[in-house]
Amino acid sequence: EVQLVESGGALVQPGGSLRLSCAASGFTFSTYDMHWVRQATGKGLEWVSAIGTSGDTYYPGSVKGRFTISRENANNSLYLQMNSLRAGDTAVYYCARAYSSSWPLDVWGKGTTVTVSS
Amino acid sequence: SYELTQPPSVSVSPGQTASITCSGDGLGEKYACWYQQKPGQSPVLVIHQDSRRPSGIPERFSGSSSGNTATLTISGTQAMDEADYYCQAWDSSTPVVFGGGTKLTVL
């Protein structure tokens, strides 16, 4: 069964850091682009970052310079290092896979919750 | 930055056809896809490449695109189709762009 399982969500103070993980199984992880998408409570989906099979990375302006996406193909794992966290980063964070660039996000995890608050 | 615009809400009676639009500059020249998200659940891909249904998605879900607008159509809408729907496309400035989402109410 194709599966993505996120972990690492927590309550963190503003300015703090957090590292999210996503464990992939049931498919050849190294051959897929991987994404992080977040959703604040009651709000829409917001794309956070992507990493290609060659390790190329992409970010929207809202997180560029603060978030770093990485992958470890040997362990079928995706990561999101989040620094300088703000209240606006509070959300459920999903990891998702895409066959390639310009392909849809066809499998999503259940998400992990990040709360930034003092 | 590239933007996709969806109506905040759409209402439909059971058994009728629901249409949800997604507008963006030059959207017809890009592929669009659609996700369904029910409360407390992760998004599920229901349409990709404008009009293709992934396996397991009911035939009542269809998609089309023309000009600057992509449309998700649900024929014979059922109560179980009540959910939030998001369109998504790709742009050179931002690899992944989501629309703001449309809440479909079946009443």
Side-chain angles (χ1 to χ4, degrees), chain B residues 2-33:
Chain B
Y2 192 70
E3 294 184 0
L4 296 173
T5 302
Q6 300 179 233
S9 62
V10 168
S11 297
V12 64
S13 299
Q16 299 304 302
T17 297
S19 295
I20 300 173
T21 58
C22 174
S23 300
D25 287 342
L27 184 56
E29 300 170 11
K30 312 174 190 291
Y31 276 136
C33 61

Side-chain angles (χ1 to χ4, degrees), chain A residues 3-108:
Chain A
Q3 197 170 12
L4 296 170
V5 179
E6 303 92 337
S7 61
L11 170 64
V12 61
Q13 291 191 340
S17 297
L18 202 61
R19 190 194 199 203
L20 305 183
S21 300
C22 172
S25 60
F27 65 100
T28 306
F29 177 75
S30 62
T31 64
Y32 282 80
D33 290 358
M34 296 299 296
H35 297 253
W36 288 98
V37 176
R38 69 185 179 185
Q39 185 173 37
T41 301
K43 302 298 184 182
L45 301 174
E46 180 186 11
W47 173 72
V48 172
S49 62
I51 185 166
T53 56
S54 301
D56 44 319
T57 58
Y58 306 88
Y59 307 92
S62 58
V63 307
K64 197 168 188 176
R66 299 189 299 123
F67 289 12
T68 302
I69 188 172
S70 61
R71 65 191 300 162
E72 195 171 316
N73 291 336
N75 288 334
N76 293 330
S77 294
L78 177 72
Y79 304 102
L80 184 67
Q81 177 66 43
M82 303 185 295
N83 299 330
S84 303
L85 283 163
R86 309 164 178 166
D89 297 318
T90 295
V92 174
Y93 285 72
Y94 298 99
C95 68
R97 77 170 194 182
Y99 180 69
S100 183
S101 60
S102 301
W103 280 73
L105 309 181
D106 67 338
V107 176
W108 296 62

Side-chain angles (χ1 to χ4, degrees), chain B residues 1-88:
Chain B
S1 61
Y2 192 70
E3 294 184 0
L4 296 173
T5 302
Q6 300 179 233
S9 62
V10 168
S11 297
V12 64
S13 299
Q16 299 304 302
T17 297
S19 295
I20 300 173
T21 58
C22 174
S23 300
D25 287 342
L27 184 56
E29 300 170 11
K30 312 174 190 291
Y31 276 136
C33 61
W34 292 88
Y35 303 91
Q36 175 194 69
Q37 187 181 34
K38 296 182 179 180
Q41 297 184 18
S42 305
V44 172
L45 179 69
V46 294
I47 292 290
H48 65 96
Q49 291 180 284
D50 293 340
S51 59
R52 305 186 70 165
R53 270 181 296 106
S55 62
I57 301 301
E59 290 185 10
R60 64 180 180 273
F61 288 87
S62 63
S64 62
S65 183
S66 178
N68 293 326
T69 303
T71 302
L72 173 69
T73 302
I74 309 173
S75 305
T77 307
Q78 300 182 9
M80 69 173 64
D81 300 328
E82 188 163 284
D84 293 327
Y85 290 86
Y86 296 89
C87 62
Q88 183 241 306

